[in-house]
Amino acid sequence: MKRWTIAVVALLLAAPAGAQGVEDATIVSLSADLAAGRTSSVKAVRAYLKRIAAYDRRGPRLNSIIALNPHALAEARTMDAERRAGRLRGPLHGIPILLKDNIEAAGMPTTAGSLALARNDPDRDSPVAAALKAKGAIILGKTNLSEWANFRSERSLSGWSAVGGLTRNPYALDRTTCGSSSGSGAAVAAGFAPAAIGSETNGSIICPSSMTGLVGLKPSIGLVPRTHIVPISHSQDTAGPMAHSVRDVATLLSVLIASDPGDPATAGALAHAKDYAAALDPAAVR
């Protein structure tokens, strides 16, 4: 088998033809480009889909994406039309976001990486997906993960699922992506979306973020609703953001905080809701 070397890094940093500019985009930078008319949500979605086709499905085959949203381009057109009309839903308006494939989103199966759930399509949004959409996000697709979020065997392989195969680290294909949110980490690092939502019981956001050069946050339990997310531990599970910058993660956290009747742990969540990105103090770290 051909051994991929450091040359892969250069390959991943260069966009395929027609997809220039998205590989290093953040939520902040893409939002600015959309606001200034330098790009559109349709162009961004098409560019990300080209990168996914070139590097996830072919080339180095990162195996970071399990499913793509068949309505992503149509949703992007809607977001562009609303922007032209001066109607912005929120800080994620027209921004493509990826979801770990244990988080339900209408129009795509939620498999947790298992063949047992390969056709599990309840056609509903989890509160996490609904919150993202309410603020204008386009759910681009679902990311690979350790099957059943690595809760299937004491000898299970991190980053592997029967549905998606083994997720590969875009910086070094023979190195681990670590943690069950492996697909979310690899996909954002490879420039398939500016950010993704992972989930963590114990290290599943933090570890893949570390291994792929991202910022990852496991929110305090009770801030983010867990309804319609395949569970492991009611005392530890939570979804959380993974992105290129602290500001992007803070933006996503602010969007995700909600009180959900289906998740009693979130009863007091709204007491902690605020714009965390606006509260960032650049001088706090010297």
Side-chain angles (χ1 to χ4, degrees):
M1 179 180 293
K2 181 177 179 181
R3 181 178 178 84
W4 292 83
T5 64
I6 196 67
V8 172
V9 176
L11 178 69
L12 288 172
L13 291 178
Q20 287 81 9
V22 297
E23 62 273 13
D24 295 318
T26 64
I27 292 174
V28 170
S29 69
L30 184 53
S31 293
D33 287 343
L34 289 167
R38 289 187 291 267
T39 191
S40 68
S41 294
V42 167
K43 289 179 180 178
V45 167
R46 284 177 174 160
Y48 286 125
L49 292 177
K50 286 182 180 180
R51 284 190 66 80
I52 290 167
Y55 301 137
D56 204 67
R57 304 297 198 243
R58 296 191 295 272
R61 295 186 63 88
L62 297 182
N63 296 327
S64 68
I65 307 292
I66 281 181
L68 293 170
N69 178 6
H71 308 296
L73 276 171
E75 292 171 12
R77 292 187 188 99
T78 298
M79 294 298 114
D80 285 338
E82 291 182 2
R83 183 179 294 277
R84 288 192 298 270
R87 299 194 304 271
L88 298 182
R89 301 188 187 190
L92 300 177
H93 192 98
I95 303 294
I97 301 291
L98 290 163
L99 290 183
K100 185 177 178 179
D101 197 24
N102 61 349
I103 304 171
E104 290 190 0
M108 290 171 284
T110 298
T111 72
S114 172
L115 293 176
L117 296 180
R119 297 186 179 181
N120 174 44
D121 188 0
D123 198 31
R124 65 189 176 194
D125 283 330
S126 62
V128 164
L132 293 167
K133 291 181 179 180
K135 297 301 182 181
I138 300 163
I139 307 302
L140 186 62
K142 308 290 282 295
T143 58
N144 200 6
L145 66 159
S146 305
E147 187 170 329
W148 295 114
N150 229 10
F151 200 69
R152 65 183 187 87
S153 167
E154 292 182 356
R155 301 179 64 185
S156 59
L157 182 63
S158 187
W160 180 90
S161 77
V163 175
L166 179 63
T167 306
R168 307 175 82 183
N169 192 316
Y171 290 107
L173 297 180
D174 60 347
R175 302 302 176 93
T176 183
T177 44
C178 185
S180 73
S181 301
S182 52
S184 296
V188 176
F192 299 159
I197 306 300
S199 70
E200 178 167 332
T201 302
N202 182 21
S204 292
I205 289 173
I206 301 304
C207 192
S209 296
S210 174
M211 291 296 179
T212 57
L214 303 179
V215 179
L217 175 69
K218 179 184 183 180
S220 298
I221 304 301
L223 286 182
V224 179
R226 299 170 295 180
T227 302
H228 305 321
I229 299 176
V230 179
I232 294 176
S233 166
H234 74 277
S235 63
Q236 292 179 273
D237 290 349
T238 183
M242 302 168 69
H244 290 291
S245 73
V246 172
R247 184 168 298 279
D248 281 2
V249 164
T251 296
L252 286 168
L253 176 64
S254 303
V255 167
L256 295 175
I257 292 175
S259 181
D260 171 31
D263 184 358
T266 64
L270 292 180
H272 305 283
K274 64 178 181 179
D275 186 345
Y276 284 91
L280 290 175
D281 178 7
V285 179
R286 294 182 177 86

